[in-house]
Amino acid sequence: MRNNIVKIIAEAGVNHDGNLEKAFKLIDIASNLKANFIKFQTFKADLLVVKNAKKARYQMINSPNKRETHYEMLKKLELNYNDHISLIDRCRKKKIKFLSTPFDIDSFFLLKKLGLRTLKISSGDLTNIPLLEKISLNSPKFMKIILSTGMGTIKEIDQALKALTKYNLIKKNITILHCTSNYPASDKSVNMNALISIRKKFGNNIGYSDHTFGNIASIIALSMGAKIIEKHFTINKLSSGPDHKISLSPKELRHFVHDIHRASKMLGSFEKKASKEEEPIKKIVRKSLVANSFIKKGNYFTSKNITVKRPGTGLEPKYFKSLLKKKAKKNYKKDQLIIL
């Protein structure tokens, strides 16, 4: 039986623009729309990027300040310790789980200190073996990891898992997300069949981090066994910032959550059988063996005096041949269901 309980991560990321009130509003939206997690990003710009690093192309396109460096952009988007306390408290009140991605070891220890039991590892750190091993060494065994694999290969995923499980973390607590690290990801780049390869190699703890427009890719991921779906969202897609334009609006997030849960219900189990809704219809539209003409008690059933007609409440048609040359134990009127 398939477990159809899919978890939805509403990715706020840095769409708070460094403003705590915006972050609160993002939490409220995600909670009201019944997402399971809201995810932020925890980092110190000084530990994450060199001062003269350039922004990614999509960041250049979506940010108003073209001269701003990657470092300058990130510095404005940092959340400090007290911010995290406030966000976690808001999530607790709104009954939604707080989740974040640590981008450096200091940020990991901050999230650990705050008592997080689940962490998200970014695609950018898939090959950051020193960070993954430190997280493994300093995490409690119950810690759950959601590992994004954008830009990665099967070999790199395998190496990341070995690093994460080197010390305390347990493989069964690690969920691997297929991902394409472009914003937005084009249809031809998402390669959804890779999710099947990930499942075959590493097991059923799989999911999908969706950077495409629309809901189709996530629904495909569900059909391939994804247990976690992640999608960016924002308060206003017209806001200036690196991720707003490729994020879902609150209205779009509502439809996304609805569609994902609906698709999850539709998947059902791997057992092929009549559903409860089909059972009454089955009795009407299937067929039974019936008398094709008057049959006298003691006469033989023949291919001429029996036939197949609706409803399906009598002897199934598969018994047609075995009924031939048997004697009727009672009189049958035309169209009367045959009883053995």
Side-chain angles (χ1 to χ4, degrees):
M1 180 73 89
R2 177 191 162 89
N3 181 356
N4 289 326
I5 303 175
V6 61
K7 302 294 185 185
I8 297 176
I9 300 173
E11 165 75 88
V14 294
N15 284 341
H16 51 76
D17 300 325
N19 183 310
L20 202 58
E21 288 304 316
K22 280 188 179 180
F24 288 157
K25 191 169 182 180
L26 287 163
I27 291 170
D28 294 351
I29 291 169
S31 173
N32 291 339
L33 298 182
K34 309 301 181 185
N36 302 95
F37 296 89
I38 181 166
K39 191 183 83 68
F40 292 92
Q41 296 178 5
T42 303
F43 57 85
K44 293 183 178 180
D46 290 312
L47 300 178
L48 179 55
V49 63
V50 297
K51 296 286 178 65
N52 61 349
K54 295 180 180 180
K55 291 190 283 189
R57 183 174 180 273
Y58 79 90
Q59 293 170 337
M60 290 288 292
I61 293 171
N62 296 330
S63 298
N65 188 348
K66 305 303 180 185
R67 295 183 179 180
E68 182 183 60
T69 65
H70 197 154
Y71 171 83
E72 290 168 338
M73 176 190 74
L74 292 175
K75 193 66 180 174
K76 295 187 298 185
L77 300 172
E78 286 182 352
L79 296 171
N80 63 33
Y81 180 82
N82 289 331
D83 291 337
H84 282 78
I85 293 287
S86 298
L87 294 176
I88 291 171
D89 184 59
R90 184 74 162 215
C91 286
R92 190 178 295 114
K93 290 177 180 177
K94 292 296 179 176
K95 297 181 179 179
I96 186 171
K97 293 180 180 178
F98 175 88
L99 182 63
S100 192
T101 299
F103 284 84
D104 53 79
I105 194 62
D106 285 11
S107 295
F108 160 72
F109 280 115
L110 184 153
L111 294 175
K112 180 186 175 183
K113 183 177 180 180
L114 291 171
L116 265 68
R117 300 175 69 91
T118 303
L119 294 176
K120 172 80 189 301
I121 305 295
S122 79
S123 293
D125 284 316
L126 179 66
T127 58
N128 189 350
I129 302 302
L131 175 65
L132 302 183
E133 288 185 350
K134 286 181 180 179
I135 289 174
S136 177
L137 179 63
N138 294 283
S139 292
K141 287 189 176 180
F142 59 73
M143 181 72 81
K144 293 183 178 181
I145 299 292
I146 301 169
L147 177 65
S148 257
T149 61
M151 306 168 287
T153 64
I154 290 292
K155 183 178 180 180
E156 288 171 338
I157 296 171
D158 189 46
Q159 291 168 342
L161 286 176
K162 287 176 180 176
L164 285 169
T165 57
K166 185 174 182 178
Y167 299 105
N168 295 328
L169 297 177
I170 303 170
K171 184 180 177 183
K172 70 176 183 179
N173 287 338
I174 301 173
T175 302
I176 302 171
L177 303 193
H178 176 45
C179 175
T180 301
S181 294
N182 195 18
Y183 306 84
S186 66
D187 291 356
K188 64 182 180 181
S189 72
V190 293
N191 190 24
M192 296 306 298
N193 281 327
L195 196 55
I196 296 176
S197 299
I198 293 170
R199 188 181 67 192
K200 286 181 178 178
K201 176 70 175 177
F202 302 110
N204 291 328
N205 281 351
I206 58 171
Y208 183 56
S209 182
D210 188 354
H211 295 160
T212 68
F213 286 125
N215 305 344
I216 295 174
S218 288
I219 292 172
I220 292 171
L222 278 178
S223 72
M224 293 177 167
K227 294 179 170 63
I228 293 175
I229 300 291
E230 179 182 68
K231 191 85 167 177
H232 282 77
F233 81 108
T234 183
I235 297 168
N236 184 354
K237 297 176 75 166
L238 298 178
S239 297
S240 60
D243 297 340
H244 291 289
K245 288 182 176 60
I246 57 90
S247 300
L248 298 177
S249 68
K251 183 178 180 180
E252 288 169 332
L253 181 62
R254 180 186 300 277
H255 289 304
F256 181 78
V257 172
H258 174 269
D259 287 352
I260 293 301
H261 285 308
R262 187 179 177 205
S264 183
K265 286 181 183 178
M266 288 180 176
L267 285 172
S269 72
F270 289 105
E271 183 182 4
K272 173 59 180 169
K273 63 178 183 178
S275 69
K276 289 182 179 179
E277 294 175 15
E278 290 178 306
E279 287 295 344
I281 299 170
K282 185 167 111 174
K283 293 177 181 179
I284 295 170
V285 302
R286 284 200 172 176
K287 296 174 182 177
S288 305
L289 295 174
V290 302
N292 197 33
S293 60
F294 175 75
I295 303 173
K296 187 177 180 180
K297 180 180 178 180
N299 285 357
Y300 285 99
F301 293 113
T302 70
S303 58
K304 292 184 178 180
N305 65 14
I306 59 173
T307 191
V308 176
K309 290 184 179 182
R310 289 178 177 178
T313 53
L315 199 62
E316 292 180 77
K318 66 182 179 181
Y319 296 110
F320 186 93
K321 287 187 178 179
S322 62
L323 192 62
L324 299 178
K325 296 186 179 179
K326 288 187 178 181
K327 291 182 179 181
K329 295 180 180 179
K330 55 176 280 188
N331 291 338
Y332 286 95
K333 297 177 182 178
K334 182 177 172 61
D335 282 346
Q336 188 173 353
L337 295 175
I338 304 296
I339 300 173
L340 287 182

